[in-house]
Amino acid sequence: MPAYLLGRLTIALLWIYQGLMPKLLGPHPDERVLNMAMGLSADAADQFSRAAGLGELLMGLAVLAFWRHRWPLVLTAVAMIGLLVIVAIAAPHFLLGAFSPVASNLPTLALALICLQMHGAVRASGDRAG
């Protein structure tokens, strides 16, 4: 499988998984804790998790649907930085966990940046570059 295809699919699956598992099919207790740390009530935190989950699911689909576009990759990179900053400010104790946002956001950021670098070569070769 070409590297660009693998990277793009991985980013899409990460967004879809993060939208579905801890948010739409949950929410996971950690999602509630993080949202409440930002000042939301328990009910509002759960609603926010579901809305965020829908947004993440849509973002994953956009990474796939807008295959020839750079913006889903740019938005992914910006989101990974922004979400990491939000966690660092609102609930920094999550950064020290075994499955912390550091362990997921930084590799996703790196993969988005790699795909962005490859994007021009892939477009020039007719989407066959790897």
Side-chain angles (χ1 to χ4, degrees):
M1 176 179 295
Y4 181 76
L5 173 63
L6 180 60
R8 196 87 186 215
L9 287 174
T10 301
I11 291 169
L13 291 174
L14 285 165
W15 276 117
I16 292 167
Y17 177 85
Q18 284 298 320
L20 285 175
M21 295 317 227
K23 294 175 184 77
L24 290 174
L25 299 177
H28 189 277
D30 287 348
E31 293 288 337
R32 178 181 285 164
V33 169
L34 177 59
N35 294 338
M36 290 176 71
M38 293 186 299
L40 299 175
S41 68
D43 288 338
D46 290 346
Q47 290 174 354
F48 184 80
S49 283
R50 287 188 181 87
L54 179 60
E56 290 177 350
L57 178 63
L58 293 173
M59 189 61 208
L61 295 175
V63 170
L64 296 174
F66 296 100
W67 190 259
R68 296 177 183 268
H69 299 269
R70 294 172 51 90
W71 69 262
L73 299 172
V74 172
L75 187 55
T76 294
V78 170
M80 291 304 108
I81 294 167
L83 293 169
L84 192 56
V85 169
I86 288 169
V87 172
I89 292 169
H93 64 279
F94 278 114
L95 300 178
L96 303 175
F99 301 102
S100 78
V102 173
S104 58
N105 290 36
L106 292 182
T108 305
L109 169 62
L111 187 55
L113 295 174
I114 290 167
C115 285
L116 280 166
Q117 284 185 329
M118 296 177 72
H119 185 267
V122 169
R123 292 290 309 273
S125 69
D127 291 336
R128 292 185 315 273

